[in-house]
Amino acid sequence: MKKTGILIEMENKRVKDTTLGMITLAARADTDLYALVLDGMDDPACDILARYGITTVVDLGLSFSPEMRLNPAVRAKAATQAAQKLQLDVIFGLSSADGKDLIPRVAALLDAPLVMDCLDVDLEKNIARTSHYSGKVLADIQLSGDVVIFGIRPNAVQPVPSPAQPQKIKMASDSAAVAGLALVSWDDGENGGQASLAEADIIIAGGRGLKNSDNFSLIFDCAKKMHAAVGASRVAVDEGWVPYAFQVGQTGEKVSPQVYIACGISGSIQHFAGMKTARMIIAVNKDENAAIMANCDYHVQGDLFEILPELIRQL
Ligand SMILES: Cc1cc2nc3c(=O)[nH]c(=O)nc-3n(C[C@H](O)[C@H](O)[C@H](O)COP(=O)(O)OP(=O)(O)OC[C@H]3O[C@@H](n4cnc5c(N)ncnc54)[C@H](O)[C@@H]3O)c2cc1C
């Protein structure tokens, strides 16, 4: 049977839901599932992994000092050593901000083929499905090698429980052997402290229809009421109303939330390239002929300056 290692992402000691979706994707195949945990493992987190079908929990974080824990070179080395010791055939990680830093390093150290931003993976044939040319083309890419690596788009697969009774093993890594890269400082960046856009369940986004940065507070107020993340079109970013970290689209973040609410966004092909895989798209636009009105699940036709304050009141 194949052995698949899953790079587990945690937030505040909780296994991220997007990680559970990735486990569900791997569990569709006939494979042993190894959870590679770099951030320390407590019993509740272990129980969650068991509920979603992990067969072995591998605790790799024990030997890290706090300053080493965040160093991507140290993390990559630990994951690589585990993959070699366990003789993994496949590695899954999230195409998240952290995953984009970690997974290519692991692929380089293992000299293994890698596809990032996979929407789906057929593990029997090692074929990944990815989107290209602003989502106009879906490509199926087959990997071959002793070990192959897939970066999975967050939220591409909904988590489905599949209980297992995992064994737990501890594996100290030779992290001291990593040279050449020291983490000097850490800054959360300019995303306003919100959770990762790519991993959000609900996103409310604003575009040129907001008219200026002050009006964007309508989007932030709605987001707060809905526990949603805030997104934006490129126009809103280019105008300086919100930072680039908020941009959704071809040259921004690719998102697959449960619900995407586009306010004052026309629905250009470049914007769609980033959000067309949302499970439900809701548009708020005054123009019934805007492209987004024909490409959404629900729309509200009207002035967002009337609709959003009313929505905030209702919420
Ligand atoms: C190479 C390339 C890459 C690009 N990458 C991206 C990308 O990653 N992301 C992205 O978003 N764009 C991207 N773009 C830009 C893209 O082509 C569009 O220009 C952009 O998406 C349009 O943004 P918008 O919908 O906010 O503005 P507009 O297209 O101007 O639409 C504004 C909408 O707001 C509506 N509106 C106005 N006032 C109100 C009101 N009071 N109430 C309700 N509705 C109102 C209008 O009816 C209109 O539909 C890219 C372009 C290129 C060439």
Side-chain angles (χ1 to χ4, degrees):
M1 198 191 283
K2 257 186 186 168
K3 291 180 176 177
T4 302
I6 315 269
L7 292 162
I8 303 297
E9 282 199 21
M10 320 257 298
E11 197 164 42
N12 302 326
K13 294 193 165 183
R14 265 194 71 239
V15 178
K16 289 183 179 175
D17 286 349
T18 44
T19 294
L20 300 177
M22 178 168 63
I23 298 172
T24 295
L25 176 59
R28 288 180 189 161
D30 193 16
T31 176
D32 280 332
L33 295 177
Y34 291 77
L36 307 179
V37 186
L38 292 150
D39 296 304
M41 181 80 332
D42 57 13
D43 286 343
C46 216
D47 291 345
I48 290 285
L49 293 174
R51 208 177 301 156
Y52 286 84
I54 289 293
T55 43
T56 307
V57 176
V58 189
D59 191 342
L60 299 168
L62 298 163
S63 54
F64 294 171
S65 60
E67 63 277 8
M68 284 167 100
R69 198 179 283 279
L70 290 172
N71 185 323
V74 172
R75 295 169 78 78
K77 183 95 188 249
T80 303
Q81 287 178 345
Q84 286 166 329
K85 280 187 203 155
L86 297 165
Q87 297 185 309
L88 297 178
D89 303 292
V90 181
I91 299 174
F92 270 22
L94 283 176
S95 272
S96 58
D98 286 344
K100 285 175 192 165
D101 202 0
L102 174 64
I103 308 169
R105 292 174 193 276
V106 175
L109 289 170
L110 289 171
D111 196 18
L114 161 69
V115 186
M116 292 297 281
D117 205 29
C118 304
L119 300 172
D120 198 3
V121 176
D122 175 350
L123 261 186
E124 307 297 341
K125 299 182 184 143
N126 285 343
I127 293 178
R129 173 154 290 193
T130 56
S131 134
H132 298 263
Y133 302 113
S134 302
K136 277 184 253 166
V137 175
L138 292 176
D140 288 345
I141 303 170
Q142 186 166 37
L143 299 187
S144 57
D146 293 338
V147 51
V148 295
I149 307 185
F150 300 100
I152 312 298
R153 184 183 290 190
N155 286 329
V157 178
Q158 284 309 294
V160 179
S162 164
Q165 289 195 318
Q167 57 163 330
K168 296 177 206 169
I169 55 177
K170 294 178 177 180
M171 207 178 263
S173 69
D174 179 15
S175 47
V178 174
L181 200 157
L183 195 71
V184 177
S185 67
W186 184 266
D187 185 337
D188 277 339
E190 51 174 14
N191 72 347
Q194 71 172 347
S196 158
L197 198 53
E199 298 181 57
D201 274 341
I202 307 174
I203 295 173
I204 179 163
R208 197 195 308 266
L210 267 300
K211 293 191 171 39
N212 60 47
S213 63
D214 288 346
N215 291 336
F216 236 85
S217 62
L218 284 170
I219 301 287
F220 283 100
D221 289 350
C222 274
K224 207 166 166 192
K225 298 267 185 195
M226 292 188 287
H227 305 292
V230 172
S233 72
R234 178 159 151 180
V235 167
V237 171
D238 286 351
E239 291 287 340
W241 302 342
V242 286
Y244 171 70
F246 289 72
Q247 185 178 318
V248 173
Q250 182 183 332
T251 44
E253 201 71 65
K254 315 279 184 298
V255 299
S256 300
Q258 296 291 332
V259 183
Y260 188 89
I261 307 171
C263 306
I265 292 178
S266 60
S268 67
I269 192 158
Q270 293 90 358
H271 191 78
F272 259 97
M275 43 60 94
K276 65 193 287 183
T277 52
R279 280 175 189 77
M280 181 191 290
I281 297 172
I282 302 172
V284 179
N285 201 301
K286 66 180 182 185
D287 177 7
E288 64 175 323
N289 295 315
I292 198 155
M293 302 298 249
N295 291 294
C296 64
D297 299 285
Y298 298 96
H299 61 76
V300 187
Q301 192 198 334
D303 186 343
L304 66 83
F305 294 106
E306 291 169 13
I307 292 161
L308 291 186
E310 182 56 27
L311 179 61
I312 292 166
R313 257 194 303 279
Q314 296 282 342
L315 286 166

PDB file of all heavy atoms in Angstrom, residues 38-60:
ATOM      1  N   LEU A  38       4.715  19.525  12.564  1.00  0.00           N
ATOM      2  CA  LEU A  38       5.925  20.288  12.882  1.00  0.00           C
ATOM      3  C   LEU A  38       5.735  21.225  14.072  1.00  0.00           C
ATOM      4  O   LEU A  38       6.691  21.771  14.588  1.00  0.00           O
ATOM      5  CB  LEU A  38       6.343  21.114  11.659  1.00  0.00           C
ATOM      6  CG  LEU A  38       6.844  20.290  10.472  1.00  0.00           C
ATOM      7  CD1 LEU A  38       6.555  20.993   9.159  1.00  0.00           C
ATOM      8  CD2 LEU A  38       8.329  20.009  10.599  1.00  0.00           C
ATOM      9  N   ASP A  39       4.477  21.432  14.472  1.00  0.00           N
ATOM     10  CA  ASP A  39       4.208  22.480  15.467  1.00  0.00           C
ATOM     11  C   ASP A  39       3.822  21.964  16.836  1.00  0.00           C
ATOM     12  O   ASP A  39       3.222  22.686  17.625  1.00  0.00           O
ATOM     13  CB  ASP A  39       3.103  23.403  14.930  1.00  0.00           C
ATOM     14  CG  ASP A  39       3.567  24.123  13.690  1.00  0.00           C
ATOM     15  OD1 ASP A  39       4.601  24.801  13.762  1.00  0.00           O
ATOM     16  OD2 ASP A  39       2.924  23.974  12.644  1.00  0.00           O
ATOM     17  N   GLY A  40       4.141  20.721  17.133  1.00  0.00           N
ATOM     18  CA  GLY A  40       3.794  20.174  18.447  1.00  0.00           C
ATOM     19  C   GLY A  40       2.365  19.655  18.447  1.00  0.00           C
ATOM     20  O   GLY A  40       1.480  20.242  17.828  1.00  0.00           O
ATOM     21  N   MET A  41       2.167  18.554  19.127  1.00  0.00           N
ATOM     22  CA  MET A  41       0.899  17.838  19.023  1.00  0.00           C
ATOM     23  C   MET A  41       0.337  17.605  20.413  1.00  0.00           C
ATOM     24  O   MET A  41       1.017  17.054  21.274  1.00  0.00           O
ATOM     25  CB  MET A  41       1.206  16.506  18.327  1.00  0.00           C
ATOM     26  CG  MET A  41       0.091  15.591  18.085  1.00  0.00           C
ATOM     27  SD  MET A  41      -1.000  15.865  16.668  1.00  0.00           S
ATOM     28  CE  MET A  41      -1.063  17.545  16.253  1.00  0.00           C
ATOM     29  N   ASP A  42      -0.899  18.084  20.675  1.00  0.00           N
ATOM     30  CA  ASP A  42      -1.542  17.711  21.937  1.00  0.00           C
ATOM     31  C   ASP A  42      -2.679  16.726  21.642  1.00  0.00           C
ATOM     32  O   ASP A  42      -2.987  16.439  20.476  1.00  0.00           O
ATOM     33  CB  ASP A  42      -2.032  18.954  22.702  1.00  0.00           C
ATOM     34  CG  ASP A  42      -2.984  19.797  21.875  1.00  0.00           C
ATOM     35  OD1 ASP A  42      -3.454  19.300  20.828  1.00  0.00           O
ATOM     36  OD2 ASP A  42      -3.255  20.935  22.271  1.00  0.00           O
ATOM     37  N   ASP A  43      -3.303  16.209  22.693  1.00  0.00           N
ATOM     38  CA  ASP A  43      -4.312  15.155  22.494  1.00  0.00           C
ATOM     39  C   ASP A  43      -5.511  15.604  21.653  1.00  0.00           C
ATOM     40  O   ASP A  43      -5.947  14.863  20.765  1.00  0.00           O
ATOM     41  CB  ASP A  43      -4.779  14.606  23.843  1.00  0.00           C
ATOM     42  CG  ASP A  43      -3.699  13.713  24.445  1.00  0.00           C
ATOM     43  OD1 ASP A  43      -2.800  13.301  23.686  1.00  0.00           O
ATOM     44  OD2 ASP A  43      -3.764  13.450  25.653  1.00  0.00           O
ATOM     45  N   PRO A  44      -6.084  16.815  21.902  1.00  0.00           N
ATOM     46  CA  PRO A  44      -7.239  17.211  21.071  1.00  0.00           C
ATOM     47  C   PRO A  44      -6.895  17.254  19.577  1.00  0.00           C
ATOM     48  O   PRO A  44      -7.681  16.815  18.740  1.00  0.00           O
ATOM     49  CB  PRO A  44      -7.592  18.614  21.594  1.00  0.00           C
ATOM     50  CG  PRO A  44      -7.029  18.672  22.963  1.00  0.00           C
ATOM     51  CD  PRO A  44      -5.820  17.790  22.980  1.00  0.00           C
ATOM     52  N   ALA A  45      -5.710  17.778  19.254  1.00  0.00           N
ATOM     53  CA  ALA A  45      -5.324  17.847  17.832  1.00  0.00           C
ATOM     54  C   ALA A  45      -5.171  16.443  17.263  1.00  0.00           C
ATOM     55  O   ALA A  45      -5.566  16.157  16.126  1.00  0.00           O
ATOM     56  CB  ALA A  45      -4.025  18.639  17.689  1.00  0.00           C
ATOM     57  N   CYS A  46      -4.604  15.558  18.077  1.00  0.00           N
ATOM     58  CA  CYS A  46      -4.421  14.165  17.660  1.00  0.00           C
ATOM     59  C   CYS A  46      -5.787  13.505  17.413  1.00  0.00           C
ATOM     60  O   CYS A  46      -5.962  12.762  16.433  1.00  0.00           O
ATOM     61  CB  CYS A  46      -3.683  13.440  18.773  1.00  0.00           C
ATOM     62  SG  CYS A  46      -2.549  12.230  18.179  1.00  0.00           S
ATOM     63  N   ASP A  47      -6.750  13.805  18.295  1.00  0.00           N
ATOM     64  CA  ASP A  47      -8.096  13.229  18.143  1.00  0.00           C
ATOM     65  C   ASP A  47      -8.736  13.679  16.829  1.00  0.00           C
ATOM     66  O   ASP A  47      -9.422  12.913  16.154  1.00  0.00           O
ATOM     67  CB  ASP A  47      -9.007  13.628  19.317  1.00  0.00           C
ATOM     68  CG  ASP A  47      -8.552  12.961  20.610  1.00  0.00           C
ATOM     69  OD1 ASP A  47      -7.744  12.008  20.515  1.00  0.00           O
ATOM     70  OD2 ASP A  47      -8.978  13.409  21.686  1.00  0.00           O
ATOM     71  N   ILE A  48      -8.531  14.952  16.491  1.00  0.00           N
ATOM     72  CA  ILE A  48      -9.096  15.471  15.229  1.00  0.00           C
ATOM     73  C   ILE A  48      -8.488  14.720  14.041  1.00  0.00           C
ATOM     74  O   ILE A  48      -9.197  14.302  13.116  1.00  0.00           O
ATOM     75  CB  ILE A  48      -8.801  16.990  15.095  1.00  0.00           C
ATOM     76  CG1 ILE A  48      -9.625  17.781  16.109  1.00  0.00           C
ATOM     77  CG2 ILE A  48      -9.085  17.483  13.689  1.00  0.00           C
ATOM     78  CD1 ILE A  48     -11.091  17.899  15.751  1.00  0.00           C
ATOM     79  N   LEU A  49      -7.182  14.542  14.069  1.00  0.00           N
ATOM     80  CA  LEU A  49      -6.523  13.845  12.957  1.00  0.00           C
ATOM     81  C   LEU A  49      -7.054  12.417  12.841  1.00  0.00           C
ATOM     82  O   LEU A  49      -7.256  11.897  11.735  1.00  0.00           O
ATOM     83  CB  LEU A  49      -5.003  13.842  13.152  1.00  0.00           C
ATOM     84  CG  LEU A  49      -4.335  15.225  13.067  1.00  0.00           C
ATOM     85  CD1 LEU A  49      -2.859  15.138  13.424  1.00  0.00           C
ATOM     86  CD2 LEU A  49      -4.496  15.814  11.670  1.00  0.00           C
ATOM     87  N   ALA A  50      -7.307  11.782  14.006  1.00  0.00           N
ATOM     88  CA  ALA A  50      -7.845  10.416  14.005  1.00  0.00           C
ATOM     89  C   ALA A  50      -9.233  10.400  13.364  1.00  0.00           C
ATOM     90  O   ALA A  50      -9.568   9.507  12.592  1.00  0.00           O
ATOM     91  CB  ALA A  50      -7.928   9.880  15.431  1.00  0.00           C
ATOM     92  N   ARG A  51     -10.015  11.444  13.644  1.00  0.00           N
ATOM     93  CA  ARG A  51     -11.391  11.478  13.141  1.00  0.00           C
ATOM     94  C   ARG A  51     -11.425  11.560  11.605  1.00  0.00           C
ATOM     95  O   ARG A  51     -12.398  11.190  10.973  1.00  0.00           O
ATOM     96  CB  ARG A  51     -12.107  12.696  13.739  1.00  0.00           C
ATOM     97  CG  ARG A  51     -13.599  12.498  13.876  1.00  0.00           C
ATOM     98  CD  ARG A  51     -14.274  13.674  14.543  1.00  0.00           C
ATOM     99  NE  ARG A  51     -13.776  13.954  15.878  1.00  0.00           N
ATOM    100  CZ  ARG A  51     -13.847  15.141  16.471  1.00  0.00           C
ATOM    101  NH1 ARG A  51     -14.372  16.165  15.848  1.00  0.00           N
ATOM    102  NH2 ARG A  51     -13.380  15.312  17.682  1.00  0.00           N
ATOM    103  N   TYR A  52     -10.348  12.066  11.018  1.00  0.00           N
ATOM    104  CA  TYR A  52     -10.347  12.252   9.558  1.00  0.00           C
ATOM    105  C   TYR A  52      -9.488  11.210   8.826  1.00  0.00           C
ATOM    106  O   TYR A  52      -9.207  11.354   7.649  1.00  0.00           O
ATOM    107  CB  TYR A  52      -9.941  13.691   9.211  1.00  0.00           C
ATOM    108  CG  TYR A  52     -11.087  14.637   9.519  1.00  0.00           C
ATOM    109  CD1 TYR A  52     -11.276  15.127  10.809  1.00  0.00           C
ATOM    110  CD2 TYR A  52     -12.031  14.940   8.552  1.00  0.00           C
ATOM    111  CE1 TYR A  52     -12.360  15.931  11.113  1.00  0.00           C
ATOM    112  CE2 TYR A  52     -13.115  15.749   8.847  1.00  0.00           C
ATOM    113  CZ  TYR A  52     -13.277  16.240  10.119  1.00  0.00           C
ATOM    114  OH  TYR A  52     -14.359  17.034  10.417  1.00  0.00           O
ATOM    115  N   GLY A  53      -9.064  10.162   9.542  1.00  0.00           N
ATOM    116  CA  GLY A  53      -8.492   9.016   8.829  1.00  0.00           C
ATOM    117  C   GLY A  53      -6.980   8.884   8.846  1.00  0.00           C
ATOM    118  O   GLY A  53      -6.427   8.052   8.124  1.00  0.00           O
ATOM    119  N   ILE A  54      -6.290   9.707   9.680  1.00  0.00           N
ATOM    120  CA  ILE A  54      -4.831   9.573   9.774  1.00  0.00           C
ATOM    121  C   ILE A  54      -4.486   8.232  10.444  1.00  0.00           C
ATOM    122  O   ILE A  54      -5.066   7.875  11.468  1.00  0.00           O
ATOM    123  CB  ILE A  54      -4.254  10.754  10.585  1.00  0.00           C
ATOM    124  CG1 ILE A  54      -4.352  12.047   9.782  1.00  0.00           C
ATOM    125  CG2 ILE A  54      -2.818  10.483  11.026  1.00  0.00           C
ATOM    126  CD1 ILE A  54      -3.490  12.127   8.543  1.00  0.00           C
ATOM    127  N   THR A  55      -3.539   7.507   9.869  1.00  0.00           N
ATOM    128  CA  THR A  55      -3.186   6.209  10.456  1.00  0.00           C
ATOM    129  C   THR A  55      -1.946   6.297  11.360  1.00  0.00           C
ATOM    130  O   THR A  55      -1.778   5.480  12.257  1.00  0.00           O
ATOM    131  CB  THR A  55      -2.956   5.153   9.354  1.00  0.00           C
ATOM    132  OG1 THR A  55      -2.187   5.739   8.301  1.00  0.00           O
ATOM    133  CG2 THR A  55      -4.268   4.684   8.772  1.00  0.00           C
ATOM    134  N   THR A  56      -1.077   7.284  11.100  1.00  0.00           N
ATOM    135  CA  THR A  56       0.088   7.480  11.973  1.00  0.00           C
ATOM    136  C   THR A  56       0.329   8.978  12.166  1.00  0.00           C
ATOM    137  O   THR A  56       0.404   9.729  11.187  1.00  0.00           O
ATOM    138  CB  THR A  56       1.368   6.863  11.343  1.00  0.00           C
ATOM    139  OG1 THR A  56       1.102   5.500  11.010  1.00  0.00           O
ATOM    140  CG2 THR A  56       2.541   6.931  12.300  1.00  0.00           C
ATOM    141  N   VAL A  57       0.423   9.394  13.422  1.00  0.00           N
ATOM    142  CA  VAL A  57       0.751  10.793  13.716  1.00  0.00           C
ATOM    143  C   VAL A  57       2.241  10.861  14.032  1.00  0.00           C
ATOM    144  O   VAL A  57       2.720  10.178  14.946  1.00  0.00           O
ATOM    145  CB  VAL A  57      -0.063  11.320  14.918  1.00  0.00           C
ATOM    146  CG1 VAL A  57       0.359  12.747  15.264  1.00  0.00           C
ATOM    147  CG2 VAL A  57      -1.557  11.273  14.616  1.00  0.00           C
ATOM    148  N   VAL A  58       2.966  11.652  13.270  1.00  0.00           N
ATOM    149  CA  VAL A  58       4.414  11.750  13.445  1.00  0.00           C
ATOM    150  C   VAL A  58       4.736  13.130  14.018  1.00  0.00           C
ATOM    151  O   VAL A  58       4.563  14.150  13.345  1.00  0.00           O
ATOM    152  CB  VAL A  58       5.148  11.565  12.091  1.00  0.00           C
ATOM    153  CG1 VAL A  58       6.643  11.457  12.309  1.00  0.00           C
ATOM    154  CG2 VAL A  58       4.615  10.345  11.349  1.00  0.00           C
ATOM    155  N   ASP A  59       5.174  13.164  15.271  1.00  0.00           N
ATOM    156  CA  ASP A  59       5.480  14.431  15.944  1.00  0.00           C
ATOM    157  C   ASP A  59       6.931  14.794  15.665  1.00  0.00           C
ATOM    158  O   ASP A  59       7.859  14.164  16.165  1.00  0.00           O
ATOM    159  CB  ASP A  59       5.233  14.274  17.453  1.00  0.00           C
ATOM    160  CG  ASP A  59       5.276  15.605  18.172  1.00  0.00           C
ATOM    161  OD1 ASP A  59       5.817  16.574  17.593  1.00  0.00           O
ATOM    162  OD2 ASP A  59       4.782  15.687  19.305  1.00  0.00           O
ATOM    163  N   LEU A  60       7.120  15.833  14.845  1.00  0.00           N
ATOM    164  CA  LEU A  60       8.478  16.220  14.423  1.00  0.00           C
ATOM    165  C   LEU A  60       8.984  17.450  15.151  1.00  0.00           C
ATOM    166  O   LEU A  60      10.137  17.837  15.014  1.00  0.00           O
ATOM    167  CB  LEU A  60       8.479  16.548  12.920  1.00  0.00           C
ATOM    168  CG  LEU A  60       8.076  15.420  11.984  1.00  0.00           C
ATOM    169  CD1 LEU A  60       7.835  15.966  10.589  1.00  0.00           C
ATOM    170  CD2 LEU A  60       9.165  14.384  11.942  1.00  0.00           C
TER     171      LEU A  60
END
